[in-house]
Amino acid sequence: MTNQTIQWFSTSKAKAWHSQSHHPSETQEHANLTITGESYQLVEGFGGCFNELGYIALNHLENDEREQVLHSLFHPEGEHKFTICRLPIGASDYALEWYSHNETDGDLEMKHFSIERDQQYLIPFIREALQLNPDLKLFASPWSPPTWMKSPKAYNYGTLRWEKDILKAYALYFVKFVQAYREAGITIHQVHVQNEVIADQKFPSCVWTGEQLREFIRDYLGPAFEEHGLDTEIWLGTINAPDPWEELMKKTSTGFDEYAHTVLSDPEAYKYIKGVGYQWAGKNAIQRTVASYPELRYMQTENECGNGENSWDYAKYVYNLYQHYFTNGVNAYIYWNMVLEPKGKSTWGWEQNSMITVDPADRKRTLNPEYYVMKHFSHFVLPGARRIGLHGSWTGNAVAFRNADGQTVVVIANPFHESRVLNLSAGEATHHFELEPESFNTIVIPS
């Protein structure tokens, strides 16, 4: 391995995606990071979410630059090589306005179900991605049920009306969504029951308990998918619990026991569930869930979104999210808004980060720091890779993978304000790297 060419890319605040030189250590320096023999979860891939405001921002670009952005995100030979992406069922909080696919009050048979609205923004966006990568997988989740199914009758706040005819109709709503997209030539590979089950927000939202998720999946959604012959996977997601610390001041919640364990410990609900999607405060529950149900698949379903400033400091925080989620067992990591206008303001007023910013004034793109955080993982860590073990004092800042062809990929951050030496032991060789201050690094070792 000593004579093989190792690739090393680094990104710092001053310089993005810089190809570095390296050399095997000529002395017997002590390794502070060792690649071990353990093999862990399979990697399914990386992606982002298709949202209306993202498509509008993308369309500010001139055609050639627009094509470059799409290629960078979705093409198998692009910079990010996205393989699994998300879309909303109805309006997300980054839709132009709020809507569902059936606002005909009392239409329990879903005769008026329609994805006509999605033909304007989401479906064209998805089709362009699929043209670049026909193997792209899609998962979908609602932010809110149709308003007439809720109490109070509104897109924001509230809960699903817990009445048998409503629950049966809502399961049919999911069926109709999968079928309508299939008729449009788009396969929905997974549905997640609710975006952020504890979010009682001024944007489209709906609060669920673990017991409600268990009953809906067990008695309504699972049987409806069976009845209609759908092979679309049902996932327990997206779980944003344990509660944030502000809520913990009011009550005690463990998240794992109130949501994942409540649902998955019921064998009749469990049999329908293929995986668990965690985001935001879900990061505090994933370790316990994976330990209890290692046979399931896991996904980080929404990268935490910042405040629209796209700062370097927030990118450092986001890097730690990737490291945390993969170390604790996820098979895929999904970014939130791939493209937005400057400040990334939603129609309800929250400013959020994005990988790419497009200014409508000059019709130019800016590649934000989190664009490169994602690239440090997704460019080299391919579907079919496995996370592998690490040992040493840099383990908490790093995560390593082995691709199906035997190539080893180590992604590591130097969080310090000064350069630090990494002595990486891989096989019989120790490789010496001087990591730049506050940098992200990807080291690729051939098989």
PDB file of all heavy atoms in Angstrom, residues 361-395:
ATOM      1  N   ALA A 361     -30.884  38.477  -9.117  1.00  0.00           N
ATOM      2  CA  ALA A 361     -30.448  39.754  -9.696  1.00  0.00           C
ATOM      3  C   ALA A 361     -29.374  39.558 -10.760  1.00  0.00           C
ATOM      4  O   ALA A 361     -29.476  40.101 -11.863  1.00  0.00           O
ATOM      5  CB  ALA A 361     -29.940  40.683  -8.590  1.00  0.00           C
ATOM      6  N   ASP A 362     -28.351  38.757 -10.436  1.00  0.00           N
ATOM      7  CA  ASP A 362     -27.277  38.566 -11.422  1.00  0.00           C
ATOM      8  C   ASP A 362     -27.308  37.176 -12.060  1.00  0.00           C
ATOM      9  O   ASP A 362     -26.483  36.865 -12.912  1.00  0.00           O
ATOM     10  CB  ASP A 362     -25.910  38.828 -10.789  1.00  0.00           C
ATOM     11  CG  ASP A 362     -25.579  37.867  -9.653  1.00  0.00           C
ATOM     12  OD1 ASP A 362     -26.271  36.842  -9.502  1.00  0.00           O
ATOM     13  OD2 ASP A 362     -24.614  38.143  -8.916  1.00  0.00           O
ATOM     14  N   ARG A 363     -28.259  36.328 -11.622  1.00  0.00           N
ATOM     15  CA  ARG A 363     -28.455  35.002 -12.187  1.00  0.00           C
ATOM     16  C   ARG A 363     -27.178  34.156 -12.108  1.00  0.00           C
ATOM     17  O   ARG A 363     -26.842  33.406 -13.015  1.00  0.00           O
ATOM     18  CB  ARG A 363     -28.959  35.093 -13.633  1.00  0.00           C
ATOM     19  CG  ARG A 363     -30.211  35.928 -13.781  1.00  0.00           C
ATOM     20  CD  ARG A 363     -30.744  35.928 -15.201  1.00  0.00           C
ATOM     21  NE  ARG A 363     -31.375  34.652 -15.530  1.00  0.00           N
ATOM     22  CZ  ARG A 363     -31.947  34.393 -16.698  1.00  0.00           C
ATOM     23  NH1 ARG A 363     -31.972  35.331 -17.647  1.00  0.00           N
ATOM     24  NH2 ARG A 363     -32.503  33.214 -16.932  1.00  0.00           N
ATOM     25  N   LYS A 364     -26.494  34.298 -10.989  1.00  0.00           N
ATOM     26  CA  LYS A 364     -25.267  33.543 -10.748  1.00  0.00           C
ATOM     27  C   LYS A 364     -25.437  32.656  -9.524  1.00  0.00           C
ATOM     28  O   LYS A 364     -26.194  32.952  -8.613  1.00  0.00           O
ATOM     29  CB  LYS A 364     -24.080  34.491 -10.543  1.00  0.00           C
ATOM     30  CG  LYS A 364     -23.752  35.349 -11.762  1.00  0.00           C
ATOM     31  CD  LYS A 364     -23.303  34.503 -12.947  1.00  0.00           C
ATOM     32  CE  LYS A 364     -22.928  35.368 -14.143  1.00  0.00           C
ATOM     33  NZ  LYS A 364     -22.584  34.546 -15.334  1.00  0.00           N
ATOM     34  N   ARG A 365     -24.664  31.570  -9.490  1.00  0.00           N
ATOM     35  CA  ARG A 365     -24.718  30.631  -8.371  1.00  0.00           C
ATOM     36  C   ARG A 365     -23.545  30.853  -7.432  1.00  0.00           C
ATOM     37  O   ARG A 365     -22.455  31.270  -7.843  1.00  0.00           O
ATOM     38  CB  ARG A 365     -24.678  29.197  -8.879  1.00  0.00           C
ATOM     39  CG  ARG A 365     -23.425  28.883  -9.639  1.00  0.00           C
ATOM     40  CD  ARG A 365     -23.325  27.438 -10.087  1.00  0.00           C
ATOM     41  NE  ARG A 365     -22.193  27.278 -10.996  1.00  0.00           N
ATOM     42  CZ  ARG A 365     -21.687  26.112 -11.350  1.00  0.00           C
ATOM     43  NH1 ARG A 365     -22.188  24.995 -10.870  1.00  0.00           N
ATOM     44  NH2 ARG A 365     -20.672  26.045 -12.191  1.00  0.00           N
ATOM     45  N   THR A 366     -23.763  30.569  -6.178  1.00  0.00           N
ATOM     46  CA  THR A 366     -22.720  30.545  -5.163  1.00  0.00           C
ATOM     47  C   THR A 366     -22.733  29.167  -4.519  1.00  0.00           C
ATOM     48  O   THR A 366     -23.790  28.684  -4.095  1.00  0.00           O
ATOM     49  CB  THR A 366     -22.960  31.614  -4.086  1.00  0.00           C
ATOM     50  OG1 THR A 366     -22.962  32.904  -4.698  1.00  0.00           O
ATOM     51  CG2 THR A 366     -21.889  31.556  -3.006  1.00  0.00           C
ATOM     52  N   LEU A 367     -21.564  28.536  -4.483  1.00  0.00           N
ATOM     53  CA  LEU A 367     -21.440  27.233  -3.840  1.00  0.00           C
ATOM     54  C   LEU A 367     -21.089  27.475  -2.375  1.00  0.00           C
ATOM     55  O   LEU A 367     -20.016  27.960  -2.058  1.00  0.00           O
ATOM     56  CB  LEU A 367     -20.367  26.389  -4.533  1.00  0.00           C
ATOM     57  CG  LEU A 367     -20.530  26.225  -6.055  1.00  0.00           C
ATOM     58  CD1 LEU A 367     -19.436  25.330  -6.618  1.00  0.00           C
ATOM     59  CD2 LEU A 367     -21.916  25.665  -6.400  1.00  0.00           C
ATOM     60  N   ASN A 368     -22.026  27.153  -1.501  1.00  0.00           N
ATOM     61  CA  ASN A 368     -21.878  27.453  -0.082  1.00  0.00           C
ATOM     62  C   ASN A 368     -21.028  26.399   0.632  1.00  0.00           C
ATOM     63  O   ASN A 368     -20.797  25.314   0.092  1.00  0.00           O
ATOM     64  CB  ASN A 368     -23.262  27.548   0.554  1.00  0.00           C
ATOM     65  CG  ASN A 368     -24.055  28.715  -0.011  1.00  0.00           C
ATOM     66  OD1 ASN A 368     -23.523  29.799  -0.233  1.00  0.00           O
ATOM     67  ND2 ASN A 368     -25.341  28.489  -0.266  1.00  0.00           N
ATOM     68  N   PRO A 369     -20.547  26.700   1.845  1.00  0.00           N
ATOM     69  CA  PRO A 369     -19.691  25.731   2.548  1.00  0.00           C
ATOM     70  C   PRO A 369     -20.292  24.338   2.667  1.00  0.00           C
ATOM     71  O   PRO A 369     -19.567  23.337   2.547  1.00  0.00           O
ATOM     72  CB  PRO A 369     -19.497  26.392   3.919  1.00  0.00           C
ATOM     73  CG  PRO A 369     -19.573  27.857   3.646  1.00  0.00           C
ATOM     74  CD  PRO A 369     -20.615  27.991   2.569  1.00  0.00           C
ATOM     75  N   GLU A 370     -21.608  24.250   2.862  1.00  0.00           N
ATOM     76  CA  GLU A 370     -22.210  22.930   3.032  1.00  0.00           C
ATOM     77  C   GLU A 370     -22.265  22.141   1.717  1.00  0.00           C
ATOM     78  O   GLU A 370     -22.434  20.916   1.729  1.00  0.00           O
ATOM     79  CB  GLU A 370     -23.590  23.065   3.662  1.00  0.00           C
ATOM     80  CG  GLU A 370     -23.508  23.491   5.118  1.00  0.00           C
ATOM     81  CD  GLU A 370     -24.839  23.932   5.708  1.00  0.00           C
ATOM     82  OE1 GLU A 370     -25.837  23.212   5.527  1.00  0.00           O
ATOM     83  OE2 GLU A 370     -24.880  25.013   6.331  1.00  0.00           O
ATOM     84  N   TYR A 371     -22.128  22.826   0.592  1.00  0.00           N
ATOM     85  CA  TYR A 371     -21.965  22.150  -0.685  1.00  0.00           C
ATOM     86  C   TYR A 371     -20.743  21.235  -0.621  1.00  0.00           C
ATOM     87  O   TYR A 371     -20.774  20.088  -1.090  1.00  0.00           O
ATOM     88  CB  TYR A 371     -21.777  23.207  -1.778  1.00  0.00           C
ATOM     89  CG  TYR A 371     -21.547  22.696  -3.184  1.00  0.00           C
ATOM     90  CD1 TYR A 371     -22.604  22.575  -4.075  1.00  0.00           C
ATOM     91  CD2 TYR A 371     -20.264  22.379  -3.641  1.00  0.00           C
ATOM     92  CE1 TYR A 371     -22.405  22.142  -5.378  1.00  0.00           C
ATOM     93  CE2 TYR A 371     -20.049  21.940  -4.936  1.00  0.00           C
ATOM     94  CZ  TYR A 371     -21.126  21.819  -5.804  1.00  0.00           C
ATOM     95  OH  TYR A 371     -20.915  21.392  -7.090  1.00  0.00           O
ATOM     96  N   TYR A 372     -19.674  21.760  -0.020  1.00  0.00           N
ATOM     97  CA  TYR A 372     -18.424  21.001   0.041  1.00  0.00           C
ATOM     98  C   TYR A 372     -18.437  19.969   1.155  1.00  0.00           C
ATOM     99  O   TYR A 372     -17.827  18.900   1.007  1.00  0.00           O
ATOM    100  CB  TYR A 372     -17.249  21.968   0.178  1.00  0.00           C
ATOM    101  CG  TYR A 372     -17.080  22.795  -1.066  1.00  0.00           C
ATOM    102  CD1 TYR A 372     -17.529  24.108  -1.109  1.00  0.00           C
ATOM    103  CD2 TYR A 372     -16.525  22.244  -2.216  1.00  0.00           C
ATOM    104  CE1 TYR A 372     -17.410  24.866  -2.268  1.00  0.00           C
ATOM    105  CE2 TYR A 372     -16.396  22.985  -3.381  1.00  0.00           C
ATOM    106  CZ  TYR A 372     -16.851  24.300  -3.404  1.00  0.00           C
ATOM    107  OH  TYR A 372     -16.746  25.036  -4.553  1.00  0.00           O
ATOM    108  N   VAL A 373     -19.132  20.230   2.254  1.00  0.00           N
ATOM    109  CA  VAL A 373     -19.275  19.194   3.274  1.00  0.00           C
ATOM    110  C   VAL A 373     -19.915  17.952   2.647  1.00  0.00           C
ATOM    111  O   VAL A 373     -19.418  16.832   2.809  1.00  0.00           O
ATOM    112  CB  VAL A 373     -20.114  19.687   4.468  1.00  0.00           C
ATOM    113  CG1 VAL A 373     -20.313  18.552   5.469  1.00  0.00           C
ATOM    114  CG2 VAL A 373     -19.434  20.867   5.153  1.00  0.00           C
ATOM    115  N   MET A 374     -21.006  18.154   1.922  1.00  0.00           N
ATOM    116  CA  MET A 374     -21.659  17.028   1.256  1.00  0.00           C
ATOM    117  C   MET A 374     -20.718  16.360   0.256  1.00  0.00           C
ATOM    118  O   MET A 374     -20.597  15.127   0.214  1.00  0.00           O
ATOM    119  CB  MET A 374     -22.932  17.497   0.545  1.00  0.00           C
ATOM    120  CG  MET A 374     -23.618  16.439  -0.319  1.00  0.00           C
ATOM    121  SD  MET A 374     -24.196  14.977   0.566  1.00  0.00           S
ATOM    122  CE  MET A 374     -25.777  15.558   1.175  1.00  0.00           C
ATOM    123  N   LYS A 375     -20.009  17.143  -0.530  1.00  0.00           N
ATOM    124  CA  LYS A 375     -19.128  16.583  -1.551  1.00  0.00           C
ATOM    125  C   LYS A 375     -18.021  15.729  -0.931  1.00  0.00           C
ATOM    126  O   LYS A 375     -17.615  14.706  -1.510  1.00  0.00           O
ATOM    127  CB  LYS A 375     -18.533  17.702  -2.407  1.00  0.00           C
ATOM    128  CG  LYS A 375     -17.703  17.198  -3.587  1.00  0.00           C
ATOM    129  CD  LYS A 375     -17.186  18.357  -4.428  1.00  0.00           C
ATOM    130  CE  LYS A 375     -16.281  17.852  -5.549  1.00  0.00           C
ATOM    131  NZ  LYS A 375     -15.716  18.949  -6.366  1.00  0.00           N
ATOM    132  N   HIS A 376     -17.523  16.122   0.226  1.00  0.00           N
ATOM    133  CA  HIS A 376     -16.470  15.348   0.882  1.00  0.00           C
ATOM    134  C   HIS A 376     -16.933  13.940   1.222  1.00  0.00           C
ATOM    135  O   HIS A 376     -16.110  13.028   1.332  1.00  0.00           O
ATOM    136  CB  HIS A 376     -15.969  16.078   2.134  1.00  0.00           C
ATOM    137  CG  HIS A 376     -14.882  17.065   1.849  1.00  0.00           C
ATOM    138  ND1 HIS A 376     -13.579  16.690   1.616  1.00  0.00           N
ATOM    139  CD2 HIS A 376     -14.913  18.412   1.725  1.00  0.00           C
ATOM    140  CE1 HIS A 376     -12.839  17.763   1.373  1.00  0.00           C
ATOM    141  NE2 HIS A 376     -13.630  18.835   1.421  1.00  0.00           N
ATOM    142  N   PHE A 377     -18.228  13.749   1.367  1.00  0.00           N
ATOM    143  CA  PHE A 377     -18.774  12.408   1.587  1.00  0.00           C
ATOM    144  C   PHE A 377     -19.258  11.782   0.289  1.00  0.00           C
ATOM    145  O   PHE A 377     -18.817  10.704  -0.109  1.00  0.00           O
ATOM    146  CB  PHE A 377     -19.942  12.480   2.582  1.00  0.00           C
ATOM    147  CG  PHE A 377     -19.519  12.689   4.002  1.00  0.00           C
ATOM    148  CD1 PHE A 377     -19.346  13.966   4.513  1.00  0.00           C
ATOM    149  CD2 PHE A 377     -19.291  11.606   4.842  1.00  0.00           C
ATOM    150  CE1 PHE A 377     -18.958  14.164   5.829  1.00  0.00           C
ATOM    151  CE2 PHE A 377     -18.901  11.789   6.156  1.00  0.00           C
ATOM    152  CZ  PHE A 377     -18.732  13.071   6.657  1.00  0.00           C
ATOM    153  N   SER A 378     -20.183  12.441  -0.391  1.00  0.00           N
ATOM    154  CA  SER A 378     -20.941  11.776  -1.452  1.00  0.00           C
ATOM    155  C   SER A 378     -20.143  11.567  -2.735  1.00  0.00           C
ATOM    156  O   SER A 378     -20.492  10.697  -3.535  1.00  0.00           O
ATOM    157  CB  SER A 378     -22.208  12.582  -1.762  1.00  0.00           C
ATOM    158  OG  SER A 378     -21.901  13.858  -2.289  1.00  0.00           O
ATOM    159  N   HIS A 379     -19.089  12.342  -2.956  1.00  0.00           N
ATOM    160  CA  HIS A 379     -18.339  12.192  -4.211  1.00  0.00           C
ATOM    161  C   HIS A 379     -17.612  10.850  -4.273  1.00  0.00           C
ATOM    162  O   HIS A 379     -17.497  10.245  -5.350  1.00  0.00           O
ATOM    163  CB  HIS A 379     -17.340  13.336  -4.365  1.00  0.00           C
ATOM    164  CG  HIS A 379     -16.659  13.338  -5.701  1.00  0.00           C
ATOM    165  ND1 HIS A 379     -17.311  13.710  -6.866  1.00  0.00           N
ATOM    166  CD2 HIS A 379     -15.396  12.999  -6.083  1.00  0.00           C
ATOM    167  CE1 HIS A 379     -16.468  13.621  -7.888  1.00  0.00           C
ATOM    168  NE2 HIS A 379     -15.304  13.179  -7.444  1.00  0.00           N
ATOM    169  N   PHE A 380     -17.136  10.357  -3.142  1.00  0.00           N
ATOM    170  CA  PHE A 380     -16.350   9.130  -3.141  1.00  0.00           C
ATOM    171  C   PHE A 380     -17.035   7.961  -2.434  1.00  0.00           C
ATOM    172  O   PHE A 380     -16.718   6.804  -2.718  1.00  0.00           O
ATOM    173  CB  PHE A 380     -14.989   9.375  -2.480  1.00  0.00           C
ATOM    174  CG  PHE A 380     -14.049  10.171  -3.340  1.00  0.00           C
ATOM    175  CD1 PHE A 380     -13.669  11.449  -2.966  1.00  0.00           C
ATOM    176  CD2 PHE A 380     -13.553   9.657  -4.525  1.00  0.00           C
ATOM    177  CE1 PHE A 380     -12.810  12.190  -3.750  1.00  0.00           C
ATOM    178  CE2 PHE A 380     -12.686  10.385  -5.319  1.00  0.00           C
ATOM    179  CZ  PHE A 380     -12.311  11.659  -4.929  1.00  0.00           C
ATOM    180  N   VAL A 381     -17.947   8.226  -1.502  1.00  0.00           N
ATOM    181  CA  VAL A 381     -18.617   7.137  -0.782  1.00  0.00           C
ATOM    182  C   VAL A 381     -19.837   6.720  -1.591  1.00  0.00           C
ATOM    183  O   VAL A 381     -20.832   7.441  -1.672  1.00  0.00           O
ATOM    184  CB  VAL A 381     -19.029   7.578   0.637  1.00  0.00           C
ATOM    185  CG1 VAL A 381     -19.692   6.414   1.374  1.00  0.00           C
ATOM    186  CG2 VAL A 381     -17.815   8.082   1.404  1.00  0.00           C
ATOM    187  N   LEU A 382     -19.774   5.563  -2.205  1.00  0.00           N
ATOM    188  CA  LEU A 382     -20.755   5.159  -3.204  1.00  0.00           C
ATOM    189  C   LEU A 382     -21.758   4.165  -2.621  1.00  0.00           C
ATOM    190  O   LEU A 382     -21.467   3.462  -1.643  1.00  0.00           O
ATOM    191  CB  LEU A 382     -20.037   4.523  -4.402  1.00  0.00           C
ATOM    192  CG  LEU A 382     -18.934   5.391  -5.045  1.00  0.00           C
ATOM    193  CD1 LEU A 382     -18.264   4.623  -6.181  1.00  0.00           C
ATOM    194  CD2 LEU A 382     -19.496   6.717  -5.530  1.00  0.00           C
ATOM    195  N   PRO A 383     -22.963   4.083  -3.212  1.00  0.00           N
ATOM    196  CA  PRO A 383     -23.912   3.061  -2.777  1.00  0.00           C
ATOM    197  C   PRO A 383     -23.265   1.684  -2.831  1.00  0.00           C
ATOM    198  O   PRO A 383     -22.580   1.341  -3.806  1.00  0.00           O
ATOM    199  CB  PRO A 383     -25.048   3.187  -3.789  1.00  0.00           C
ATOM    200  CG  PRO A 383     -24.979   4.605  -4.252  1.00  0.00           C
ATOM    201  CD  PRO A 383     -23.516   4.937  -4.286  1.00  0.00           C
ATOM    202  N   GLY A 384     -23.469   0.914  -1.790  1.00  0.00           N
ATOM    203  CA  GLY A 384     -22.820  -0.387  -1.682  1.00  0.00           C
ATOM    204  C   GLY A 384     -21.584  -0.375  -0.821  1.00  0.00           C
ATOM    205  O   GLY A 384     -21.041  -1.439  -0.474  1.00  0.00           O
ATOM    206  N   ALA A 385     -21.111   0.827  -0.452  1.00  0.00           N
ATOM    207  CA  ALA A 385     -19.988   0.923   0.479  1.00  0.00           C
ATOM    208  C   ALA A 385     -20.437   0.464   1.858  1.00  0.00           C
ATOM    209  O   ALA A 385     -21.630   0.442   2.174  1.00  0.00           O
ATOM    210  CB  ALA A 385     -19.474   2.357   0.541  1.00  0.00           C
ATOM    211  N   ARG A 386     -19.459   0.106   2.681  1.00  0.00           N
ATOM    212  CA  ARG A 386     -19.739  -0.178   4.085  1.00  0.00           C
ATOM    213  C   ARG A 386     -18.897   0.733   4.973  1.00  0.00           C
ATOM    214  O   ARG A 386     -17.739   1.019   4.654  1.00  0.00           O
ATOM    215  CB  ARG A 386     -19.423  -1.637   4.435  1.00  0.00           C
ATOM    216  CG  ARG A 386     -20.484  -2.594   3.935  1.00  0.00           C
ATOM    217  CD  ARG A 386     -20.431  -3.928   4.654  1.00  0.00           C
ATOM    218  NE  ARG A 386     -21.515  -4.799   4.203  1.00  0.00           N
ATOM    219  CZ  ARG A 386     -22.718  -4.828   4.752  1.00  0.00           C
ATOM    220  NH1 ARG A 386     -22.980  -4.049   5.804  1.00  0.00           N
ATOM    221  NH2 ARG A 386     -23.657  -5.629   4.286  1.00  0.00           N
ATOM    222  N   ARG A 387     -19.522   1.194   6.035  1.00  0.00           N
ATOM    223  CA  ARG A 387     -18.725   1.915   7.025  1.00  0.00           C
ATOM    224  C   ARG A 387     -17.787   0.920   7.687  1.00  0.00           C
ATOM    225  O   ARG A 387     -18.174  -0.229   7.962  1.00  0.00           O
ATOM    226  CB  ARG A 387     -19.617   2.573   8.072  1.00  0.00           C
ATOM    227  CG  ARG A 387     -18.820   3.395   9.091  1.00  0.00           C
ATOM    228  CD  ARG A 387     -19.724   4.155  10.032  1.00  0.00           C
ATOM    229  NE  ARG A 387     -20.430   3.279  10.965  1.00  0.00           N
ATOM    230  CZ  ARG A 387     -19.951   2.875  12.133  1.00  0.00           C
ATOM    231  NH1 ARG A 387     -18.723   3.220  12.509  1.00  0.00           N
ATOM    232  NH2 ARG A 387     -20.678   2.104  12.924  1.00  0.00           N
ATOM    233  N   ILE A 388     -16.551   1.344   7.927  1.00  0.00           N
ATOM    234  CA  ILE A 388     -15.554   0.474   8.555  1.00  0.00           C
ATOM    235  C   ILE A 388     -15.021   1.131   9.819  1.00  0.00           C
ATOM    236  O   ILE A 388     -15.209   2.328  10.049  1.00  0.00           O
ATOM    237  CB  ILE A 388     -14.405   0.133   7.577  1.00  0.00           C
ATOM    238  CG1 ILE A 388     -13.748   1.406   7.032  1.00  0.00           C
ATOM    239  CG2 ILE A 388     -14.925  -0.748   6.446  1.00  0.00           C
ATOM    240  CD1 ILE A 388     -12.540   1.129   6.137  1.00  0.00           C
ATOM    241  N   GLY A 389     -14.352   0.333  10.633  1.00  0.00           N
ATOM    242  CA  GLY A 389     -13.949   0.779  11.951  1.00  0.00           C
ATOM    243  C   GLY A 389     -12.731   1.673  11.958  1.00  0.00           C
ATOM    244  O   GLY A 389     -11.844   1.575  11.100  1.00  0.00           O
ATOM    245  N   LEU A 390     -12.674   2.531  12.945  1.00  0.00           N
ATOM    246  CA  LEU A 390     -11.532   3.394  13.200  1.00  0.00           C
ATOM    247  C   LEU A 390     -11.156   3.302  14.669  1.00  0.00           C
ATOM    248  O   LEU A 390     -12.004   3.065  15.541  1.00  0.00           O
ATOM    249  CB  LEU A 390     -11.851   4.858  12.854  1.00  0.00           C
ATOM    250  CG  LEU A 390     -12.078   5.189  11.378  1.00  0.00           C
ATOM    251  CD1 LEU A 390     -12.600   6.617  11.226  1.00  0.00           C
ATOM    252  CD2 LEU A 390     -10.790   5.011  10.572  1.00  0.00           C
ATOM    253  N   HIS A 391      -9.884   3.527  14.945  1.00  0.00           N
ATOM    254  CA  HIS A 391      -9.401   3.532  16.328  1.00  0.00           C
ATOM    255  C   HIS A 391      -8.343   4.623  16.465  1.00  0.00           C
ATOM    256  O   HIS A 391      -7.533   4.823  15.566  1.00  0.00           O
ATOM    257  CB  HIS A 391      -8.795   2.172  16.689  1.00  0.00           C
ATOM    258  CG  HIS A 391      -8.174   2.132  18.055  1.00  0.00           C
ATOM    259  ND1 HIS A 391      -8.919   2.075  19.216  1.00  0.00           N
ATOM    260  CD2 HIS A 391      -6.865   2.168  18.438  1.00  0.00           C
ATOM    261  CE1 HIS A 391      -8.107   2.073  20.246  1.00  0.00           C
ATOM    262  NE2 HIS A 391      -6.852   2.120  19.812  1.00  0.00           N
ATOM    263  N   GLY A 392      -8.377   5.328  17.570  1.00  0.00           N
ATOM    264  CA  GLY A 392      -7.374   6.361  17.808  1.00  0.00           C
ATOM    265  C   GLY A 392      -8.007   7.687  18.186  1.00  0.00           C
ATOM    266  O   GLY A 392      -9.235   7.851  18.176  1.00  0.00           O
ATOM    267  N   SER A 393      -7.173   8.658  18.494  1.00  0.00           N
ATOM    268  CA  SER A 393      -7.648   9.923  19.061  1.00  0.00           C
ATOM    269  C   SER A 393      -8.398  10.801  18.071  1.00  0.00           C
ATOM    270  O   SER A 393      -9.064  11.753  18.480  1.00  0.00           O
ATOM    271  CB  SER A 393      -6.469  10.697  19.655  1.00  0.00           C
ATOM    272  OG  SER A 393      -5.492  10.966  18.656  1.00  0.00           O
ATOM    273  N   TRP A 394      -8.318  10.498  16.767  1.00  0.00           N
ATOM    274  CA  TRP A 394      -9.064  11.270  15.775  1.00  0.00           C
ATOM    275  C   TRP A 394     -10.409  10.619  15.423  1.00  0.00           C
ATOM    276  O   TRP A 394     -11.132  11.120  14.563  1.00  0.00           O
ATOM    277  CB  TRP A 394      -8.239  11.435  14.494  1.00  0.00           C
ATOM    278  CG  TRP A 394      -7.205  12.515  14.575  1.00  0.00           C
ATOM    279  CD1 TRP A 394      -5.887  12.367  14.872  1.00  0.00           C
ATOM    280  CD2 TRP A 394      -7.405  13.909  14.372  1.00  0.00           C
ATOM    281  NE1 TRP A 394      -5.257  13.577  14.860  1.00  0.00           N
ATOM    282  CE2 TRP A 394      -6.167  14.550  14.555  1.00  0.00           C
ATOM    283  CE3 TRP A 394      -8.521  14.694  14.057  1.00  0.00           C
ATOM    284  CZ2 TRP A 394      -6.007  15.923  14.425  1.00  0.00           C
ATOM    285  CZ3 TRP A 394      -8.366  16.060  13.923  1.00  0.00           C
ATOM    286  CH2 TRP A 394      -7.117  16.661  14.115  1.00  0.00           C
ATOM    287  N   THR A 395     -10.746   9.525  16.063  1.00  0.00           N
ATOM    288  CA  THR A 395     -11.949   8.776  15.691  1.00  0.00           C
ATOM    289  C   THR A 395     -13.209   9.622  15.796  1.00  0.00           C
ATOM    290  O   THR A 395     -14.114   9.518  14.961  1.00  0.00           O
ATOM    291  CB  THR A 395     -12.076   7.515  16.569  1.00  0.00           C
ATOM    292  OG1 THR A 395     -10.912   6.701  16.372  1.00  0.00           O
ATOM    293  CG2 THR A 395     -13.325   6.724  16.201  1.00  0.00           C
TER     294      THR A 395
END
